[in-house]
Amino acid sequence: MVLAVSTIEKLFSGPWSDGVTQPVGQSPAYHQPVLLSETLERLLVRPGGIYLDATMGEGGHTSALLQASDPDGRVLGIDRDFRSLARAADRLERFGSRFMPIQGNYTQMVAMANQQGLDEVDGILMDLGLSSRQLDTPGYGFSFQTDETLDMRFDPNGPLSADDVVNEYSEEDLANVIFQYGEELRSRRIARAIVRNRPVNSTGQLASLVASVLGTGSRTGRRVHPATRTFQALRIEVNDELNSVEAGLSAAVELLAPFGRLAVISYHSLEDRIVKTFLQRESTDCVCPPRFPVCVCEHEGTLNLINRRIIRPSPEEVTGNPRSRSARMRVAELR
């Protein structure tokens, strides 16, 4: 049985779905899951289903998937950050063996599912954003709001940190990272300033350097810190995020059961472009250039697109959770 949208909204409105109520005027006890009701509706979550949350974070979506698939649905939750994983495991302990947490990169989701005795799943969610906890908690080095050591690794045991990129990359390589992954037009000026001021030891120092190059005004008309694009670029480079998205999408298609669904939530154009291109390619039976008179590619599409237009948060959700404003969801179903 598929839960109606009205039922979903009733389940997850008001207090937090796991019983934690958000105090008025305070930060939520846990990261607020984005597009929650839309995710449950598009994934056709049902009792007894098996689902995978590929980027579990602190378990907001995972908790909702477990509740919507009650009483015997199961959810495998994957996350690279063992700190978030531990927090989610504590939060979701009450679901017992229905919840299966595992640390790792979602690019390896097929092997991880196999380790849990799962050959296929009914639905997969890939929420590609950071959690509020990761942004706001000292130690991650994602934010310029506090002055801390440059890190930016989802997995603190990962081989590359932001400190390595900022202080060891050549000026040309650093500029290319900032331009390609941050879409920052003045990347070469920023890279030059960083190299001239090495060592750059903290997020505050880096943010100040970027601001000294770009100024404090916003070219978009919004009050966005001038270092935002540079920090995004470094985080993507450190965690190899864009290559992971492409590999993760391929793994998801391999793991889905027939008519299983994949929902992907992205937050910036680079991610969304990869997702859009992949889903369009896998929903067609020919990828030959238009100039070819006949098909020679022998490509066989594996997916059907569920939504032709991207799904965005409602104005009400953006008001309640401003960090959701850039979210966009795309959904497809395995043929």
Side-chain angles (χ1 to χ4, degrees):
M1 178 185 69
V2 177
L3 293 177
V5 178
S6 59
T7 303
I8 293 170
E9 291 174 345
K10 182 178 179 181
L11 278 170
F12 301 106
S13 62
W16 283 70
S17 58
D18 55 4
V20 179
T21 304
Q22 178 181 349
V24 176
Q26 298 182 24
S27 298
Y30 293 100
H31 169 71
Q32 291 178 261
V34 174
L35 291 167
L36 182 56
S37 63
E38 293 85 349
T39 297
L40 298 177
E41 179 189 2
R42 298 316 193 281
L43 287 181
L44 303 179
V45 182
R46 57 177 175 78
I50 302 174
Y51 304 94
L52 186 148
D53 188 343
T55 49
M56 184 175 63
E58 295 184 6
H61 284 108
T62 309
S63 177
L65 290 168
L66 286 161
Q67 291 186 68
S69 63
D70 188 72
D72 53 349
R74 290 182 288 164
V75 178
L76 173 61
I78 298 172
D79 204 275
R80 296 171 70 176
D81 180 6
F82 69 78
R83 296 159 290 190
S84 293
L85 192 73
R87 189 170 170 83
D90 181 67
R91 178 185 187 183
L92 303 175
E93 183 180 10
R94 64 194 177 93
F95 291 102
S97 61
R98 293 180 55 211
F99 168 54
M100 300 166 283
I102 186 167
Q103 184 192 5
N105 192 319
Y106 59 70
T107 59
Q108 303 298 316
M109 68 174 73
V110 175
M112 293 177 184
N114 292 164
Q115 290 172 9
Q116 301 296 321
L118 303 175
D119 296 324
E120 58 185 24
V121 298
D122 299 304
I124 296 173
L125 169 65
M126 296 172 62
D127 181 347
L128 304 177
L130 291 174
S131 75
S132 299
R133 181 74 56 179
Q134 288 170 319
L135 285 170
D136 298 336
T137 300
Y140 287 91
F142 287 130
S143 176
F144 37 73
Q145 302 300 328
T146 57
D147 189 21
E148 56 182 345
T149 302
L150 287 165
D151 194 317
M152 301 193 188
R153 290 174 291 184
F154 291 130
D155 179 355
N157 296 314
L160 185 68
S161 72
D163 184 272
D164 298 327
V165 178
V166 168
N167 290 303
E168 296 180 14
Y169 275 30
S170 69
E171 182 178 323
E172 181 179 1
D173 288 344
L174 186 56
N176 288 338
V177 166
I178 297 171
F179 178 75
Q180 293 174 10
Y181 296 155
E183 299 180 296
E184 175 56 70
L185 298 180
R186 286 175 279 186
S187 61
R188 297 200 178 281
R189 291 177 58 191
I190 294 171
R192 189 177 307 119
I194 291 172
V195 171
R196 287 178 177 175
N197 288 277
R198 284 174 172 169
V200 180
N201 296 317
S202 71
T203 57
Q205 185 183 357
L206 177 60
S208 295
L209 273 174
V210 177
S212 71
V213 173
L214 302 183
T216 57
S218 170
R219 292 169 292 168
T220 63
R222 296 188 308 182
R223 291 185 296 176
V224 177
H225 193 286
T228 299
R229 292 176 182 271
T230 298
F231 271 62
Q232 171 185 296
L234 293 173
R235 192 200 75 227
I236 290 174
E237 172 72 5
V238 166
N239 297 289
D240 195 24
E241 292 180 37
L242 299 187
N243 288 328
S244 292
V245 171
E246 181 79 30
L249 291 168
S250 297
V253 170
E254 182 179 349
L255 187 59
L256 279 175
F259 307 109
R261 289 193 173 185
L262 167 66
V264 187
I265 304 174
S266 57
Y267 295 84
H268 57 75
S269 59
L270 296 173
E271 291 173 338
D272 187 58
R273 195 175 303 140
I274 293 172
V275 177
K276 178 181 179 180
T277 300
F278 180 91
L279 296 184
Q280 287 182 336
R281 182 178 70 243
E282 291 304 314
S283 63
T284 182
D285 290 328
C286 177
V287 293
C288 291
R291 66 179 182 275
F292 281 29
V294 295
C295 176
V296 296
C297 67
E298 299 183 355
H299 176 76
E300 294 185 9
T302 57
L303 300 172
N304 291 321
L305 298 181
I306 298 302
N307 60 303
R308 294 288 174 177
R309 294 184 177 181
I310 57 176
I311 301 167
R312 295 183 180 273
S314 67
E316 293 76 16
E317 179 171 2
V318 173
T319 299
N321 180 14
R323 283 177 174 167
S324 71
R325 65 180 177 271
S326 60
R328 58 201 79 178
M329 176 190 283
R330 297 182 187 274
V331 186
E333 181 179 85
L334 191 70
R335 295 179 180 177

